[in-house]
Amino acid sequence: MTSHKVGELAKATGLTVRTLHHYDHVGLVRPSGRTASGHRLYDESDVRRLYAVLALRQLGLPLEDIGAALAGTSGLGELLTRHREHLDRQLVAIRTLHAHLTTMLATLDDGVGVTDFLALIREVTTVDETVKQYFSEAQLAELAERRSRLGGQEDVQRKWQDLIPRVQRAIDTGTDPASTAGRALAAEWMSLLEAFHGGDPGLRDSLYRMQADNSERIRREHGGPSPEQLDFIRRANAAS
């Protein structure tokens, strides 16, 4: 039977001798034999096990999970599913971080001070706890990316601050929601909402639920629309 010394196996697999020693120490891949002088010898079954370990490592599984899978004490499918969920969370975190950095780089100028920079970080990364109740981590990452593509929300906020009073004036002057003017206001309204949810049904539904559950707070703290204004827009949209 062919046996491989630790140095030979390290060279063949691209691993270091130290890594193979560690695998032996933790019981992951133990050599089946020893030379007369005590050096490790790996037989073909040991090598096959090592390549199984390397294949699972390529998937990013931690050593303890690999050991459990090879020992048969934990199902491989379950381990891979759990690991994929872990990777999904990492991807969301990376997407969010990338979007935050993009927004800050677009906003930052060479003359910004430390205090201004810290304020910018807080403004970009802080998410209201209420918002977190309605949007998943993946949706929050999507919103952060959308924000970075739009270059911030200041322009959108200004447009809302201009549009909401115009809708109220239309109501006060008795404008018919089904009129050309009413339908134009509704189209502008829906366009601004589109900038937020990008046509994604999940984001749109989460936004509507958040608005419905927190309409009074949104109106009081952020100048959001009143029920009367929302009803005007709904009727204008129905007439379109």
Side-chain angles (χ1 to χ4, degrees), residues 1-188:
M1 180 180 292
T2 303
S3 294
H4 306 269
K5 293 180 180 179
V6 67
E8 296 170 345
L9 192 55
K11 184 176 180 180
T13 58
L15 299 173
T16 64
V17 170
R18 183 175 181 179
T19 296
L20 290 173
H21 286 176
H22 178 64
Y23 286 178
D24 181 10
H25 177 72
V26 299
L28 193 59
V29 182
R30 284 181 169 155
S32 297
R34 295 272 178 171
T35 66
S37 57
H39 295 296
R40 294 170 174 84
L41 288 176
Y42 296 83
D43 65 18
E44 292 303 319
S45 65
D46 301 329
V47 174
R48 285 196 297 272
R49 181 179 174 89
L50 176 60
Y51 277 107
V53 169
L54 295 181
L56 293 174
R57 283 292 284 162
Q58 284 293 103
L59 297 176
L61 286 175
L63 294 183
E64 56 269 26
D65 285 350
I66 293 174
L70 294 179
T73 58
S74 184
L76 181 58
E78 176 189 351
L79 287 173
L80 294 179
T81 298
R82 190 166 68 238
H83 187 58
R84 183 180 62 184
E85 292 169 352
H86 169 69
L87 292 177
D88 286 341
R89 291 191 294 271
Q90 285 186 316
L91 286 172
V92 167
I94 290 171
R95 287 174 59 201
T96 304
L97 178 59
H98 183 275
H100 288 164
L101 287 172
T102 300
T103 299
M104 284 189 283
L105 286 170
T107 308
L108 201 59
D109 59 54
D110 294 335
V112 70
V114 173
T115 301
D116 294 332
F117 181 63
L118 294 177
L120 177 60
I121 291 176
R122 286 194 297 272
E123 193 270 332
V124 168
T125 60
T126 300
V127 177
D128 189 287
E129 289 300 320
T130 300
V131 175
K132 291 182 180 180
Q133 296 175 22
Y134 293 90
F135 297 93
S136 68
E137 290 184 354
Q139 287 177 323
L140 291 174
E142 175 63 28
L143 291 176
E145 289 179 339
R146 192 179 309 285
R147 174 184 179 142
S148 71
R149 291 194 297 268
L150 293 174
Q153 296 295 309
E154 295 80 6
D155 184 53
V156 174
Q157 290 172 355
R158 283 194 296 270
K159 288 179 179 178
W160 277 117
Q161 291 167 358
D162 171 71
L163 177 58
I164 289 175
R166 285 193 284 120
V167 172
Q168 186 58 49
R169 284 197 296 273
I171 294 171
D172 294 341
T173 57
T175 300
D176 183 356
S179 67
T180 301
R183 287 184 280 113
L185 287 171
E188 190 175 346

